Amino acid sequence: MNRTVLVTVAMLAASNVFMTFAWYAHLKNLHSRPWWIAALFSWAIALFEYLLQVPANRIGFSSLSLPQLKILQEVITLSVFAPFCVFYMHQPLKLDFLWAGLCLVGAVYFIFRA
């Protein structure tokens, strides 16, 4: 794996952490507030996500195809979401996370094969 891909993966992983919190943390932290407060809070977090995600995709597109970037994003999303779900939101760990991950492994194989 070349340096460009590693930088892309690192930036997309960091952007996914921000986006996961933007999309779901309000369900735990702001559940008693009006939806528009949660939306403003989420938009503020999402700004940081976009400051990482947009350059990450531009950097990655110099070495990866668009379908490869998308599948990479999905794998990173699940890799970030599963621990967030279990450790932050205190949801039970389900075997479905494993099955979804295995499906993504198949997607990675097909999109990255020569």
Side-chain angles (χ1 to χ4, degrees):
M1 193 178 304
N2 67 36
R3 187 181 192 297
T4 301
V5 174
L6 289 174
V7 168
T8 300
V9 168
M11 290 178 75
L12 287 175
S15 78
N16 251 280
V17 170
F18 282 110
M19 201 54 165
T20 300
F21 274 88
W23 282 6
Y24 302 110
H26 65 87
L27 298 173
K28 177 180 178 181
N29 301 346
L30 299 173
H31 65 277
S32 62
R33 302 284 185 127
W35 73 265
W36 59 271
I37 299 274
L40 290 174
F41 177 77
S42 294
W43 287 340
I45 295 171
L47 170 65
F48 296 102
E49 186 268 341
Y50 278 102
L51 290 174
L52 292 166
Q53 180 265 339
V54 171
N57 281 326
R58 296 182 128 214
I59 291 166
F61 194 59
S62 68
S63 294
L64 301 167
S65 69
L66 188 59
Q68 288 174 328
L69 275 171
K70 181 59 182 169
I71 294 299
L72 185 61
Q73 175 66 35
E74 296 304 326
V75 169
I76 292 168
T77 297
L78 186 60
S79 299
V80 169
F81 181 74
F84 171 86
C85 190
V86 172
F87 296 116
Y88 188 78
M89 296 296 287
H90 305 292
Q91 298 293 306
L93 181 61
K94 292 185 170 187
L95 204 51
D96 291 341
F97 288 141
L98 173 65
W99 304 136
L102 290 174
C103 289
L104 284 173
V105 167
V108 168
Y109 169 76
F110 287 113
I111 207 71
F112 281 94
R113 71 182 173 154

